[in-house]
Amino acid sequence: MGANERSEVISFLSKDYAVDHEKIKNAITKYEKNQQAFPDLTIATKPHYYDLLKSIGNLSNGVKFVCDFRADLLQEIKSKSEDLLPLRRLDNTAKDLLTLWFCNSNLRLERLTWKSPADILQKVAQKEAVHPVHGLIDMQRRVGPCRRCFVFMHESMPREPLVIVHVALMDKIADNLQDIIKRVQISAEDEEQANTAIYYSISSTQQGLSGIDLGNMLIKNVVLELQKETPQIHQHSTLSPIPGFRSWLIRVLKGHSEFGEVIDDKTIQLAQTETNITNSNDLKNLLLNEIESNNVPNFQNLTLHLCAKYLHQAKNASGYALNPVANFHLRNGAQMYRLNWGCDLSARGIQKSLGIMVNYKYNLEKVPTNSARYINGKYIDAHEQVINLL
Amino acid sequence: MGANERSEVISFLSKDYAVDHEKIKNAITKYEKNQQAFPDLTIATKPHYYDLLKSIGNLSNGVKFVCDFRADLLQEIKSKSEDLLPLRRLDNTAKDLLTLWFCNSNLRLERLTWKSPADILQKVAQKEAVHPVHGLIDMQRRVGPCRRCFVFMHESMPREPLVIVHVALMDKIADNLQDIIKRVQISAEDEEQANTAIYYSISSTQQGLSGIDLGNMLIKNVVLELQKETPQIHQHSTLSPIPGFRSWLIRVLKGHSEFGEVIDDKTIQLAQTETNITNSNDLKNLLLNEIESNNVPNFQNLTLHLCAKYLHQAKNASGYALNPVANFHLRNGAQMYRLNWGCDLSARGIQKSLGIMVNYKYNLEKVPTNSARYINGKYIDAHEQVINLL
Amino acid sequence: MGANERSEVISFLSKDYAVDHEKIKNAITKYEKNQQAFPDLTIATKPHYYDLLKSIGNLSNGVKFVCDFRADLLQEIKSKSEDLLPLRRLDNTAKDLLTLWFCNSNLRLERLTWKSPADILQKVAQKEAVHPVHGLIDMQRRVGPCRRCFVFMHESMPREPLVIVHVALMDKIADNLQDIIKRVQISAEDEEQANTAIYYSISSTQQGLSGIDLGNMLIKNVVLELQKETPQIHQHSTLSPIPGFRSWLIRVLKGHSEFGEVIDDKTIQLAQTETNITNSNDLKNLLLNEIESNNVPNFQNLTLHLCAKYLHQAKNASGYALNPVANFHLRNGAQMYRLNWGCDLSARGIQKSLGIMVNYKYNLEKVPTNSARYINGKYIDAHEQVINLL
Amino acid sequence: MGANERSEVISFLSKDYAVDHEKIKNAITKYEKNQQAFPDLTIATKPHYYDLLKSIGNLSNGVKFVCDFRADLLQEIKSKSEDLLPLRRLDNTAKDLLTLWFCNSNLRLERLTWKSPADILQKVAQKEAVHPVHGLIDMQRRVGPCRRCFVFMHESMPREPLVIVHVALMDKIADNLQDIIKRVQISAEDEEQANTAIYYSISSTQQGLSGIDLGNMLIKNVVLELQKETPQIHQHSTLSPIPGFRSWLIRVLKGHSEFGEVIDDKTIQLAQTETNITNSNDLKNLLLNEIESNNVPNFQNLTLHLCAKYLHQAKNASGYALNPVANFHLRNGAQMYRLNWGCDLSARGIQKSLGIMVNYKYNLEKVPTNSARYINGKYIDAHEQVINLL
């Protein structure tokens, strides 16, 4: 099926298989006579495509089909600018079904090693979005000593790792990407010294499952698994990228952002020490110059201060953290633990976040509370060393 | 948790976690202002326990928990005589979720052999409801040459076979249970002569999944699997019990049934040949005497005629076949193929169906049509040799 | 091939495929001219059937064939009374080859659980020689909590457990068979309390491998495996039968044994306390009466004393322990640890050893020394509590 | 252990653990008195290191140790020029033991696919000696559609493929390496058209097993496996390199070979057609010029004629084919089937054999006869199209 046909099928389904308002009205009438008839309302308000997609899931390979279908649908939504509501409704229905099919109980946690099937490892290598895998030897290292790679598998796609997390076992909370990615000589003995698990990369492979909380479930399952397998590990933290920090900073410095004024007294105070500048506009110009040069800025404290502002204070339309990675881990119940200067000095790292990376720490006892406080009250649990930067 | 507590939890949930009519009314108001608000109606009409059960499925072992919970709930419904509506609603919700979790794509078809894990085989032996397994040697035979045993497995209960079908590979459509159950000497060579698969036992192990169409899906998957694995097999048929025939016959002969008059011209005609009786009441008395003696009746043609009436003409409240096994296979799209006299002469077999058994034949091309005609129009596809008995 | 034919083939092979003395003489002549020609002597003195059997091992299933062949050969040797030398030579050759094929490096240690393949567990149950397995439930218990069952597998017979050891994890060195065999309620938690591994049954399944030290290798591999898997286990001991004690005792009391006089001062002294008899002949008659009654004798200390004599002092023609089980464990380097009165009160247990059983303790540090001292010097390491009985 | 120490240990073992001639003399004396004492001679003529190596095999990892030890030993033999006899004797003993340990019954045939463990596939890629594997994608192709890769595994080295054969399923006997190695688009459907299995690469991974006939056993097992799995395959042939042809040809043309005169009437006749030269010396000079230019020679018929001579008529000291690959396949019972011009035009291919490759065809019915005739009578079964080249 070509792209055009696909697009037409999606459009047709979203409109001609939608709800029947005549039926809804009848169900309302019925309900108003007898409240016990409320299930008729549930049924009447379900679009026809709900039953269609549900039936497809009952065919062999049907769940995979619906997942791929939703990937196309999301593509369609992205590429269109109008008449989006029917597509979004169709997407909601597909997502609801997929959420049930891919619930935690239906997923199988698997640890990958160098003895795992080559096709699975190949897919893991191809899908690594955060720190691209460079060849076979690199992949071998990522499942070697002091490393763990876990995936979620599902019966409906037996050879597809759905979500992938890479973990490094270390003797401290990593402040440096090189220690994880480049270090060559690691032996099995080093594992005995390890006390910290660093979750340095989480990737999803299925567009069709986006928005379904598989990453969160995977991390929590892995934490439990590591507690059983390696009881010496008592700290769990990420080393996470901060995509969007640099472009956000340019926008706010140029005044093109809803964030408002980014320069406050603390900023000026830091600027004075590091740059001798006290004028807000001069400072903005200097910073813009620095940042747009594509180098790591000279002013460490100042930049960390601005980055902490981005992570802690910049919000999206719903009032949650603007940075999607921060939002992901805060939702999961993690603590914003530490900003790390000069941590990812690759071109990509500088382009995204001026080389800064951040740790989110998972303290198992606090995770449920933190998660609830963030989701319900938008409260961000940040460690003192982050707060002090603000 | 004891039985009483369980009963209380169920009752509490079914009432206090039900729908909130205030919310429904608000959603109706909203909908009547703006039809695009219909999804709010779907949400408002979903009982609170829907979200609760869905969340439980997202815990590890949660799906199994909900399945076990529904088994308790069904028990509760069976044991109560009043105030059943809230329980039935709760059951509907649980069943809806379980239907999605246990959809075809999420199930794994497995063939069991004597090399399969002992715990799985033990469970299969324990759950065999149709023809009880007698010891290890009997189980070994049921997975041996000319036999197949297939099960559905699900990620959420990794050591539990959910539905089990036993198949015998034979050189004709079996008219005799002994050929299948008792025959001792079978060799792998006999498989080459086989052209027919006899599905002689289907069992479910999970009360909590009752009403979900796993048996049907299993049979269809097995038919496809056998077509691949043993292409010489071109006929697929069951050899099925007829539970309830004898007790139904006693009821209709005594006039205690809604079926009405069971004796018609054809009956009298057969009676004349076999019994010399032409009077309807005398015939009824004679038959009752015969049947209540717990032996196989002397009058083969007469009894087969009455059995064909039971299978083909006796209906339940919804107008489908009264006999549950017939209803199951007709729904699946099978043809009522042949009644077999003296087929199961065990005490159990005589007690249930006067020793008669029946074949339902699965003709793959006709299965979809048959299924649709039965479900939508209550049409029963019966072979000529069944029709001729009526 | 019938038994007669088999017997003829064996006889033919043992004679017509034996060594060629003409060749040996030539090789000697050659060697006497040039010592470097000694390999020709090795070759010339190898019977023709050596090459034949070796070639068979190179066919698929060949190693199994040779193993089965040797089982027949041993049967043949047992059933004949004359002309045994050619058969024994043939057996030596077959045993040499099998010893190499079934060396430790070629064997795979496997732990069996209730999830293991049913065919393997069935074979283990059938081959249990020491304490027969009673049905499925009994087998399930022997691979359940606080129990271990290990086997050696070999590539050439992929579905055949070759040697089997059953282990009970307990909180002391067992003095009682019932604790192991009959105890019904055991939970996984009990394993945490366990500090002792009791090897209560070792069986071989292949007649053709008799005399090859697989049992010894298996025990040592299992000890190492348990040290890794359950570090809380620090004692390793058997609870072993004493086959032949009762019949030996009858023989010596009747004077039909080479053992000589079994009644010494210590015996008389014990007899005085327990029986008031001081005359050697009276004592013998009393004991014979007791023993031949097929009950447990009344005189515990006296019987234990005589049993210690049997185990520690009765020797075979080569000067090693007469009791084959004792000889097996002493060769392996175990210590004769304790005699247990009233330990196996089954008819079988009384028939064999008047209900007494014995522990052989494997102290890993002492095993190599003990083994060497026994094999080279016939020294038996016995614990004080055994010595004190003598 | 460094190389020097290893060398010393080997030397020490080969001398100080050799046979004891005093013992041999005693055994001879004993034998001359009583012929039945011949086994003493076998024992006396076995060097002490025989028992030592045998005992090592009985340790865990012992067989692997002996295999690695023999690899070192062979290295030592290669690097030394004198005093080789004791080393060769030690090698004979090690090889005898390894031959028994690695007999056919003890090996497990495994088919590798892209779902096989990555570590095993990595080793296969690294060990591919005939046509080096270029990266992951290349390896994936070699286990993809229309390709097969089989290995022998052994219990004592569970992650080591010992011998590897690569097979291409094609619709004719390949005359062209590019068809096999470079062809990119192959689909599973092509397998149905295939009728020929081309064995295009056989590699061993263990130096320590050299001289043990694993390659031959592997090919024969694979032929049987393919007959079962893909019954449409009815031709089995190799596409083999001819290492040594070019250097041999240079030697014979320069007169530096024991082969004698390579130019005969047929050669001159071919030369006349292709070169207009009729003088033997002129022809030699022309050919040497051509060959030493490192290009494919211009004279196809002439070169094929000379290559056929090399393969069919050049012999080693024992009278078998000088070319080791030819010798391998002829021993196995294959037929020398066809020479293929311009078949491997890589620098390597020209360097070794002027781009020519050869097919050896395995006709299963003729394999045993051919093998016996070659081994016993040095008879080479060559197809007419090879004979016609001579």
Side-chain angles (χ1 to χ4, degrees), chain C residues 98-99 101-104 107 152 154 162-164 202-206 208-221 328 332, chain D residues 58:
Chain C
L98 289 163
T99 302
W101 286 327
F102 289 84
C103 70
N104 199 350
L107 295 164
F152 263 152
H154 190 269
L162 302 179
V163 211
I164 304 153
I202 302 164
S203 313
S204 299
T205 67
Q206 304 298 315
L209 299 179
S210 71
I212 299 174
D213 218 7
L214 303 183
N216 179 16
M217 291 196 288
L218 180 59
I219 291 178
K220 285 175 186 164
N221 278 277
F328 173 75
N332 296 351
Chain D
N58 237 354

Side-chain angles (χ1 to χ4, degrees), chain A residues 120-164:
Chain A
I120 305 286
L121 289 172
Q122 185 189 31
K123 280 169 190 163
V124 167
Q126 285 166 348
K127 294 291 180 175
E128 168 61 55
V130 189
H131 309 296
V133 173
H134 301 294
L136 212 59
I137 297 300
D138 192 10
M139 190 62 216
Q140 187 174 5
R141 209 150 28 80
R142 296 202 192 185
V143 292
C146 288
R147 294 293 177 270
R148 294 291 184 276
C149 177
F150 288 95
V151 298
F152 263 152
M153 306 294 289
H154 189 269
E155 190 59 40
S156 68
M157 309 184 201
R159 311 298 305 172
E160 294 292 338
L162 302 179
V163 211
I164 305 153

Side-chain angles (χ1 to χ4, degrees), chain C residues 19 21 31 35-36 38-39 42 45 57-59 62-63 89 97 100-101 103-106 108 154-155 217, chain D residues 19 21 31 35-36 38-39 42 45 57-59 62-63 89 97 100-101 103-106 108 154-155 217:
Chain C
V19 288
H21 288 286
Y31 171 75
Q35 286 199 341
Q36 283 315 316
F38 69 87
T42 319
T45 56
N58 237 353
L59 304 176
V63 164
R89 293 226 187 285
L97 284 167
L100 283 163
W101 286 327
C103 70
N104 199 350
S105 284
N106 286 6
R108 189 172 67 252
H154 190 269
E155 190 58 42
M217 291 196 288
Chain D
V19 288
H21 289 286
Y31 171 75
Q35 288 199 340
Q36 284 315 317
F38 69 87
T42 319
T45 56
N58 237 354
L59 305 176
V63 163
R89 293 225 187 284
L97 284 167
L100 284 163
W101 286 328
C103 70
N104 198 351
S105 285
N106 286 7
R108 189 171 66 253
H154 190 269
E155 190 58 41
M217 291 197 288

Side-chain angles (χ1 to χ4, degrees), chain A residues 11-133:
Chain A
S11 167
F12 168 74
L13 215 61
S14 72
K15 289 173 185 163
D16 289 36
Y17 273 68
V19 288
D20 177 343
H21 289 287
E22 213 52 49
K23 270 197 187 163
I24 299 184
K25 280 172 203 159
N26 292 340
I28 289 176
T29 312
K30 215 169 145 192
Y31 171 76
E32 282 169 346
K33 281 189 201 139
N34 173 11
Q35 287 199 341
Q36 284 313 317
F38 69 87
D40 290 0
L41 260 172
T42 319
I43 292 164
T45 55
K46 265 186 192 155
H48 291 336
Y49 46 65
Y50 176 87
D51 288 321
L52 182 68
L53 295 179
K54 186 179 151 183
S55 301
I56 290 173
N58 237 353
L59 304 176
S60 88
N61 293 320
V63 164
K64 176 161 176 36
F65 180 91
V66 175
C67 180
D68 293 346
F69 170 80
R70 185 171 173 241
D72 290 339
L73 173 58
L74 290 171
Q75 202 55 42
E76 188 74 8
I77 289 172
K78 236 185 237 169
S79 69
K80 287 182 83 169
S81 54
E82 51 181 22
D83 207 11
L84 285 170
L85 190 60
L87 299 182
R88 289 225 174 93
R89 293 227 187 283
L90 177 53
D91 178 47
N92 283 343
T93 296
K95 189 181 162 190
D96 279 356
L97 284 166
L98 289 163
T99 302
L100 284 163
W101 286 328
F102 289 83
C103 71
N104 198 349
S105 285
N106 286 7
L107 295 164
R108 189 172 66 252
L109 181 70
E110 270 187 27
R111 179 182 167 193
L112 299 183
T113 71
W114 195 233
K115 296 181 182 177
S116 296
D119 63 331
I120 305 286
L121 289 172
Q122 185 189 31
K123 280 169 190 163
V124 167
Q126 285 166 348
K127 294 291 180 175
E128 168 61 55
V130 189
H131 309 296
V133 173

Side-chain angles (χ1 to χ4, degrees), chain A residues 21 31 36 58 89 104, chain B residues 21 31 36 45 58 89 104:
Chain A
H21 289 287
Y31 171 76
Q36 284 313 317
N58 237 353
R89 293 227 187 283
N104 198 349
Chain B
H21 289 286
Y31 172 75
Q36 284 314 317
T45 56
N58 237 352
R89 294 227 187 282
N104 198 350

